[in-house]
Amino acid sequence: SERHDGQGQLPARPPAPEPPSGDGGATVAFRVPDLDQARTNLEKHGVFFEGDVKEIPGVVRIGTFRDPFQNRVQFAQMLLAK
């Protein structure tokens, strides 16, 4: 059923939201056993990582890149001993 403004007209549609810029928002992270190998594999397929691998010594190494929709994705290699 259609909604009307009481005068037989449909109300104006609100403006479309701006497309996401890729800045801010959520980041998806995946655990990988070997970050260097995962990065090399993706770079062979044209993926560009954002800067250098970040490391929290003895804890984790993290590499960040963007998916085709500009969402931020991270690969994380855990360094903590089990």
Side-chain angles (χ1 to χ4, degrees):
S1 74
E2 294 182 356
R3 293 179 48 192
H4 296 276
D5 65 3
Q7 300 176 1
Q9 301 292 318
L10 290 172
R13 179 175 293 212
E18 291 291 320
S21 67
D23 294 329
T27 300
V28 178
F30 297 96
R31 183 182 296 185
V32 294
D34 184 331
L35 179 58
D36 295 325
Q37 181 181 14
R39 180 176 178 147
T40 299
N41 234 4
L42 286 181
E43 288 175 336
K44 286 180 184 176
H45 291 87
V47 175
F48 297 98
F49 278 72
E50 296 181 348
D52 295 328
V53 169
K54 308 288 189 250
E55 182 171 339
I56 299 172
V59 179
V60 67
R61 297 177 69 229
I62 299 171
T64 304
F65 59 96
R66 301 286 177 139
D67 72 9
F69 302 101
Q70 297 306 303
N71 298 302
R72 187 172 278 123
V73 180
Q74 292 182 331
F75 278 177
Q77 177 185 351
M78 304 308 292
L79 302 175
L80 292 172
K82 291 183 178 180

